[in-house]
Amino acid sequence: METSIQQMKELAEKLNRASRAYYQEDREIMSNQEYDALYDRLLEMEKETGTVLANSPTINVGYEALESLPKEAHESPMLSLDKTKERETLREFVGTHPTLLSWKLDGLTIVLTYENGELQKAVTRGNGVVGEVITNNARVFRNIPLRIAYRGRLVLRGEAIITYSDFEKINATIEDVDAKYKNPRNLCSGSVRQLNNEITARRNVRFYAFALVSAEGVDMHNSRACQFQWLKEQGFDVVEHRMVTAETLDDAMDYFANAVGTNDFPSDGLVALYDDIAYGDSLGSTAKFPRNSLAFKWADEMRETHLLEIEWSPSRTGLINPVAVFEPVELEGSTVSRASVHNVSIVRELELGIGDTIQVYKANMIIPQIAENLTRSGNLTIPDTCPVCGHEARVIKENEVECLYCMNPDCVAKKIKAFTLFVSRDAMNIDGLSEATLEKFIARGFIHNFGDIFEIGKYRDEIITMDGFGEKSFENLLASLEKARETTLPRLIYSLGIANIGLSNAKVICKYFDYDLDRIRHADEEEVSSIDGIGPVIAKNLVEYFSKEENIQKLEHLLRHVHIRKEDVNGEQIFAGMTFVITGSVAHFANRGEAKSFIESLGGKVTGSVTKKTNYLINNDTASNSSKNKKAKELGIPILSEEDFLKLAGRQDV
């Protein structure tokens, strides 16, 4: 059974890879015949095993937006684990009892419930007593089975995580440095708790089971290892584990210690769990911890060094971040000489001073941090001027945390970072304006606000004599500016650099307000924070931005230079609530991606698989025997040529 599940995972991944290449990248990595054969084989195996994986191309989970995440009490409280950093303490815990040693994954704990072979419910750990129901999102996790062979009631626990590689890919798409995610755990927590599970699906969240709570009528032979094996046979990925005793503990510990530095998944230690279920349960628990398990936290590799200076680094929002610079030390196999101190509160709590002897380590073996200040001279002076512009810098306390801000709205550092965001690909998409070029233009007084960029032509004679510029470069810049004048409202809102508002948030806000800029400008915090996926922090930042007269003046100046394309939001949404699948080559569109965008602009949705929820299959070869055509015919779904589709859309001039 386990071998079959593994084969199904490999088949699903291969088919999905081919589908992504075909639909999103306009290239083929396998023939239709090979795809159909693999697809049919996967269908057979799903019938044989009674298991359907969440990422199987044979199903279409569908996306859904919720108003809120309901809360629900757990059937039994989820206790925390007692922990140690000492190997000998762990050995003493193991004693003579066979014990499962596994990774302690650093993500979000989820409880899954299955009834009659179907995923019924998914709930976050929450506070251990009450969690949030995220069933809608769990259905689009990369690797959980939506259907399993077992037909009784199953309850299990596991960790939802995002791998380091996916974390890096997601952060790489965010051009605004201030908006990047801090670590995989924070990204995972936000992804799992989205109100729109289409966002969750894009984040590649994975689930690893670490505990079976109950499975009615199944003999687990009084063994946790047997439970893990049974869960594997049902199609679950189970956290990697090894059986140990006190005598074999060292070999397993050495294995985990060597692997932690190269793993693609985040973990912050190990978990030891007695294999004997009855014995472990008989031990009961304290008020806080179960007695059948113990967490082992890696003893951080600590080095002493001396603090050389604190760099104060301004951001586009005016926040000036303290960064500790110290004598270089070797930590976890690399040389480290800098660490973020995050805010003024931490600077003061550590009583930092130049020359102090400090202890540094890598949190979770990755992020350099100051653990302790051994000498605590406290001689560091918090600057009262911005290190870039020289104007007033002020410590402001919000939510009990003190941070340093530059109070000069015309600070060059703010401007450079703000302008860099403004011209970036996802904002106004202006080629030819690198950060270095922007810095030169600002220094020469060519640009003071966003609208000035579109008036750069009046400085032509000076610019073409600058290093790196000439007639050709200048003409290319003017052409790029001309192209950028035509934009969309979400891009415009994002380009303004309002704190915490990325392009995706801007799209959500614009859609809610029917792409009406005046409504957005005059909205209050209560209304904005009521939008799905938009919380009170974003609402506050948006409303505060538009409440400032200087921002309104700059916006008005910018609006004189750009044209905002109107979005089809009312009468043109003729495909609202309809789902399409596109297959084969297209002739009236540049590629399938353009056809997909056209459908979405009219309110429709495009998916990759034909299901009973599909309204139309678009295929210029309407008579072909492809798997999608076969499926559509079985379900009675109309197959349209492009000509037929364009007639349906009332557009024959695309």
Side-chain angles (χ1 to χ4, degrees), residues 138-339:
R139 293 184 187 281
V140 297
F141 286 0
R142 288 279 295 171
N143 63 333
I144 72 163
L146 299 181
R147 192 175 304 132
I148 59 176
Y150 174 66
R151 290 296 182 262
R153 186 171 191 271
L154 167 65
V155 181
L156 70 151
R157 295 171 182 168
E159 199 81 353
I161 66 163
I162 289 177
T163 63
Y164 287 121
S165 54
D166 282 329
F167 169 73
E168 295 296 342
K169 286 176 187 174
I170 292 168
N171 257 354
T173 66
I174 303 172
E175 296 190 7
D176 181 3
V177 174
D178 296 334
K180 289 181 183 288
Y181 295 97
K182 304 303 181 189
N183 54 58
R185 189 188 188 285
N186 287 356
L187 174 58
C188 182
S189 178
S191 301
V192 166
R193 300 174 62 254
Q194 288 288 329
L195 295 177
N196 184 344
N197 68 344
E198 184 172 7
I199 298 173
T200 307
R202 292 199 298 265
R203 303 282 176 79
N204 285 343
V205 179
R206 290 169 167 82
F207 176 87
Y208 291 90
F210 62 66
L212 189 153
V213 179
S214 64
E216 297 169 349
V218 182
D219 183 5
M220 296 297 175
H221 306 288
N222 194 37
S223 167
R224 298 288 182 188
C226 182
Q227 288 182 337
F228 277 14
Q229 181 60 34
W230 184 81
L231 286 172
K232 282 185 181 180
E233 292 171 359
Q234 298 302 311
F236 295 96
D237 283 335
V238 174
V239 64
E240 184 185 7
H241 57 280
R242 292 195 168 194
M243 187 75 79
V244 301
T245 62
E247 289 72 29
T248 62
L249 179 65
D250 288 321
D251 286 344
M253 293 287 288
D254 291 344
Y255 163 77
F256 284 114
N258 290 330
V260 70
T262 57
N263 285 340
D264 192 31
F265 55 83
S267 66
D268 54 0
L270 303 172
V271 174
L273 174 68
Y274 291 138
D275 182 56
D276 187 319
I277 298 172
Y279 172 73
D281 289 349
S282 72
L283 299 174
S285 62
T286 67
K288 293 176 65 178
F289 310 119
R291 292 193 175 97
N292 67 347
S293 53
L294 180 69
F296 175 85
K297 305 282 282 187
W298 302 110
D300 298 310
E301 185 178 350
M302 203 80 66
R303 290 286 183 272
E304 281 190 17
T305 184
H306 295 97
L307 183 66
L308 300 177
E309 64 173 310
I310 293 287
E311 284 184 0
W312 296 90
S313 175
S315 70
R316 65 174 175 79
T317 61
L319 175 66
I320 304 176
N321 299 295
V323 178
V325 181
F326 44 82
E327 293 174 352
V329 290
E330 288 291 318
L331 272 178
E332 311 290 355
S334 65
T335 302
V336 177
S337 60
R338 302 165 65 85

Side-chain angles (χ1 to χ4, degrees), residues 124-138:
T124 65
R125 181 185 186 278
N127 62 9
V129 177
V130 175
E132 291 177 305
V133 179
I134 50 101
T135 314
N136 196 39
N137 295 333

